[in-house]
Amino acid sequence: PQGTEMNPVVWQPQRDGRSNTERFMARHGIADYQSLLERSLADPEWFWAEVIEFLGIPFQRRFTKVRDATNGRPWTTWFTDGQVNLSEACVDRWARETPHQTAIIGVREEGEGTSLSFAELFDLVGRAAGGLQQVGVGPGDAVAVYLPMSPEAVVAFLAIARVGAIFIPIFSGYGADAVAARLTDPRPRALICADGFTRRGRPIPMKETADEAVDIAGGIEKVVVVDYSGLAHEWTDGRDVRWEDLTSADPVPAAATDAEHPVLLAYTSGTTGRPKGAIHVHGGLTVKLAQEGAFQAEIEAGDRIMWVTDMGWIMGPWMVVAGLANGAGLVTFDGAPDHPGADRIWEIVATNRITFLGISPTLIRALAPHGAEIARPHDLTSLKAFGSTGEPWNPDPWWWLFRDVGSESVPIVNISGGTEIGACILSVNLLQGLKPTSLGGPSLGMDADVFDASGKPLRGEVGELVIKEAWPGMTRGFWGEPDRYIETYWSRWEGVWVHGDWASVDADGFWYLHGRSDDTLNIAGKRIGPAEIESAAVALPEVVMAAAIGIPDEIKGETVVVYVVPAAGAAVAGLEQRTSDAIAATLGKAFRPKQVVLVSDLPKTRSAKIMRRVIRALAVGEPPGDLSSLENPASLEGITRL
């Protein structure tokens, strides 16, 4: 598709038959990508079985049935009677086939860290798994991991999966209360933590926080301590275990784990109340992430991938499985992406010859004011694609990354899903080409649609993003809260997953997101997503970041307030009025903000999502709810009651 004059396709691939998607299509006599997508939706049993075969995912025991919806669509299971272990799928095969290839490079804020070949990774994961068994961890036990983004975090994930235990990743920036909240249910048998690490030149004492969290939660039998940065810390004899001792055990093979055996418990923060624990299983998570890495990101053996993330965000596990299961190497980074200089990410790409770099739109909005010239001294020719997720794009930052940094030759694989999805719902596939800010369309095997308020498919207008059929990577519910799972996703329309995002599909079949549907503003009866208002604000060169919220209004019912972060060195005199005028000129006078407020920062998660609900709560004098995922607490000081 070429698109329209006003909304063109701006990048097309060279179709040479060598991409994973093209080779899969040729294997099955499928002429074009749209036909492949349609067949993957019409015949999911065929599609997922053939993906496993094509990618060589090593099932220990072959499944007898691809999917089973006996208990209803929300409780669909996959790969009946099959056995597969995520750790084996990610490590063992490549240790045999490409033992000397680099599997992990650890980059630390203060310099290079460790590097492991696939043979070394296989040995270390096996030994860590043996050590876990020695401290009493077995199938079905939970192990929490509170580590910076590092090779040790990857090894811990794979070792836990290897023994059939359940991996609970905890964001490395959490304080003691937030860590404790994730140690209560299920009660982990062990916690793996670091002594600390360095972020923006400041030591972060993780062991001290871990000890406090364990005291709050209680019941943790073993605390495994990685001597990561040499920070002094307390030691509890009989409970604390050195990582070096754990990984000195004899290596063990991967346990025989059923496809539906839990492997990951990923917590997401809610607006109020306790975080939700999304359950993922060996079969579904491994197959879905491996497929996504191969067909959406086009990751191949020998590639090197890095997502600017943390294991506490779903993109951490995504990077591990999507990369390693396809034979690619990983680059982990524990530091801030703009420290000690704004070119830090580009320097890491060049030094480590990264082929696929995952970022967020917020990160790019933060880097863009420094100019593309900070990237140009670095050799970025290894890059085959950017990955992107976390929030909708604004056009200007998208173009800055695509045109100014990537020279219009590095495509942006924009994806969107979530922790409970296990991967993505929507994704660019490179065979479609690119439209600015678009997500392409449904990922292969994902029966997505856009519904109007009555539950009917909608095109050309904004509606609810839904999924009409189960998929392997979907959560198997929230830990101990089955009713909350159904209420959250399956309660609006029978048998339909309602994701909570506004989406639209244009005349050429390209999909777009417009923000969270629960963030939608209703201004005098006119509905609009905050992302559209924010896009108009950040189009000003003086504005680096914006957040639009709705507050009660006696006349309109709701009115717009926009919080704006000025660009470094920008002239702020009159910026409130210029921002208000730009929004009114772009969207119409009805959407002119009631107020524009200048602030030095906006509250964000570590994955760079702006926390609009927190901003609104503070602005109207309500409790802000769960703040455990807040990355920058100081930002709250600028958000005062209006």
Side-chain angles (χ1 to χ4, degrees):
Q2 296 303 309
T4 63
E5 183 177 351
M6 293 297 293
N7 191 18
V9 173
V10 299
W11 180 91
Q12 291 276 19
Q14 289 186 333
R15 291 180 171 86
D16 56 11
R18 294 189 294 179
S19 72
N20 293 323
T21 310
E22 288 175 292
R23 291 188 297 108
F24 185 83
M25 288 162 51
R27 184 171 182 167
H28 296 284
I30 298 172
D32 55 64
Y33 179 75
Q34 184 61 29
S35 298
L36 172 61
L37 175 62
E38 291 171 359
R39 187 170 178 188
S40 76
L41 303 180
D43 192 356
E45 281 84 359
W46 164 81
F47 175 70
W48 293 108
E50 290 300 325
V51 163
I52 291 167
E53 180 70 23
F54 179 77
L55 297 180
I57 297 172
F59 271 68
Q60 299 162 326
R61 185 173 69 204
R62 181 73 177 178
F63 46 89
T64 60
K65 188 177 183 180
V66 173
R67 66 173 175 173
D68 183 352
T70 302
N71 295 321
R73 188 167 293 159
W75 304 107
T76 301
T77 58
W78 292 81
F79 315 123
T80 305
D81 299 324
Q83 289 183 335
V84 60
N85 187 290
L86 180 148
S87 178
E88 186 173 31
C90 288
V91 180
D92 299 39
R93 168 187 175 184
W94 308 107
R96 293 191 301 270
E97 296 183 13
T98 56
H100 303 299
Q101 180 186 309
T102 300
I104 306 178
I105 296 172
V107 179
R108 301 176 66 158
E109 182 171 280
E110 61 269 30
E112 294 301 315
T114 56
S115 175
L116 296 169
S117 68
F118 271 105
E120 291 168 332
L121 178 63
F122 172 75
D123 181 67
L124 188 55
V125 168
R127 291 183 182 279
L132 288 172
Q133 288 184 341
Q134 288 184 0
V135 298
V137 175
D141 290 332
V143 179
V145 175
Y146 180 51
L147 291 171
M149 194 63 184
S150 58
E152 288 85 353
V154 177
V155 170
F157 175 24
L158 297 171
I160 292 164
R162 197 168 192 82
V163 299
I166 305 169
F167 171 54
I168 304 178
I170 300 177
F171 165 49
S172 61
Y174 279 153
D177 288 337
V179 174
R182 289 149 179 82
L183 300 180
T184 56
D185 190 18
R187 181 76 63 192
R189 186 171 290 273
L191 167 68
I192 302 175
C193 72
D195 55 354
F197 71 111
T198 301
R199 188 165 177 86
R200 298 192 180 279
R202 184 170 61 90
I204 308 296
M206 297 183 76
K207 177 57 162 58
E208 178 182 311
T209 302
D211 285 342
E212 186 179 347
V214 169
D215 288 342
I216 295 169
I220 305 298
E221 297 177 14
K222 296 293 180 183
V223 175
V224 179
V225 185
V226 178
D227 184 11
Y228 190 76
S229 63
L231 279 180
H233 56 81
E234 298 292 329
W235 189 264
T236 302
D237 289 332
R239 186 199 69 178
D240 293 356
V241 179
R242 290 179 173 81
W243 175 256
E244 291 80 3
D245 295 336
L246 189 87
T247 55
S248 296
D250 291 335
V252 298
T257 45
D258 291 339
E260 286 294 312
H261 187 83
V263 67
L264 169 66
L265 184 59
Y267 280 96
T268 61
S269 296
T271 302
T272 59
R274 213 157 47 85
K276 306 184 296 284
I279 305 165
H280 291 289
V281 300
H282 278 267
L285 192 68
T286 301
V287 172
K288 171 62 172 160
L289 292 185
Q291 175 265 329
E292 204 161 281
F295 294 153
Q296 308 302 142
E298 289 294 340
I299 293 169
E300 302 174 312
D303 281 347
R304 284 189 183 169
I305 72 171
M306 183 178 89
W307 208 290
V308 184
T309 185
D310 186 274
M311 290 300 275
W313 185 32
I314 193 63
M315 298 314 296
W318 187 98
M319 181 178 86
V320 172
V321 181
L324 294 181
N326 286 297
L330 312 178
V331 178
T332 63
F333 177 51
D334 66 4
D338 57 353
H339 181 85
D343 65 339
R344 180 61 161 143
I345 287 297
W346 314 125
E347 182 268 327
I348 292 172
V349 169
T351 301
N352 297 284
R353 306 303 295 160
I354 291 169
T355 59
F356 185 89
L357 175 67
I359 49 79
S360 70
T362 294
L363 172 59
I364 297 307
R365 284 194 289 268
L367 294 180
H370 297 282
E373 55 270 16
I374 64 170
R376 293 193 183 113
H378 302 288
D379 180 4
L380 306 183
T381 56
S382 61
L383 277 174
K384 295 196 274 186
F386 295 111
S388 161
T389 193
E391 60 186 319
W393 278 96
N394 311 106
D396 287 351
W398 190 95
W399 274 108
W400 182 82
L401 181 64
F402 178 65
R403 180 178 54 211
D404 298 345
V405 177
S407 302
E408 300 190 24
S409 62
V410 183
I412 301 172
V413 180
N414 194 15
I415 69 176
S416 182
T419 301
E420 298 91 334
I421 302 298
C424 74
I425 305 168
L426 305 177
S427 174
V428 166
N429 183 283
L430 298 181
L431 295 183
Q432 298 169 287
L434 297 184
K435 280 191 177 185
T437 77
S438 174
L439 290 119
S443 175
L444 294 170
M446 298 297 291
D447 194 359
D449 210 334
V450 179
F451 277 8
D452 65 16
S454 64
K456 301 288 179 59
L458 184 67
R459 293 295 181 269
E461 298 179 37
V462 175
E464 288 275 5
L465 176 64
V466 302
I467 312 171
K468 299 182 292 186
E469 189 51 87
W471 65 98
M474 64 189 282
T475 179
R476 300 313 193 257
F478 300 153
W479 189 273
E481 298 182 294
D483 293 341
R484 188 183 182 194
Y485 164 61
I486 296 297
E487 173 63 26
T488 302
Y489 289 112
W490 298 96
S491 60
R492 185 167 178 184
W493 293 298
E494 181 69 26
V496 175
W497 175 292
V498 180
H499 194 58
D501 280 341
W502 287 124
S504 64
V505 186
D506 74 8
D508 300 313
F510 282 77
W511 291 53
Y512 298 83
L513 287 184
H514 304 275
R516 298 292 295 171
S517 57
D518 53 8
D519 281 341
T520 302
L521 309 179
N522 191 338
I523 312 300
K526 304 176 183 69
R527 299 177 70 85
I528 189 169
E532 293 182 75
I533 298 171
E534 292 157 6
S535 286
V538 299
L540 292 170
E542 309 101 295
V543 175
V544 70
M545 198 183 312
I549 62 168
I551 63 170
D553 183 84
E554 290 183 2
I555 298 173
K556 294 184 177 182
E558 191 173 32
T559 190
V560 179
V561 172
V562 182
Y563 287 83
V564 164
V565 179
V572 297
L575 182 55
E576 296 97 327
Q577 186 63 47
R578 293 197 299 278
T579 303
S580 181
D581 291 344
I583 292 169
T586 302
L587 299 173
K589 293 181 180 179
F591 299 107
R592 179 182 288 277
K594 178 88 167 182
Q595 190 171 348
V596 175
V597 182
L598 302 187
V599 292
S600 60
D601 199 4
L602 293 171
K604 298 184 292 293
T605 66
R606 180 68 176 270
S607 57
K609 291 183 182 179
I610 295 172
M611 301 179 76
R612 295 189 191 93
R613 63 165 178 83
V614 173
I615 298 171
R616 185 187 184 280
L618 294 172
V620 301
E622 296 175 353
D626 180 15
L627 296 176
S628 61
S629 60
L630 180 64
E631 157 79 348
N632 51 342
S635 65
L636 301 182
E637 297 172 7
I639 314 295
T640 56
R641 183 166 184 171
L642 295 172

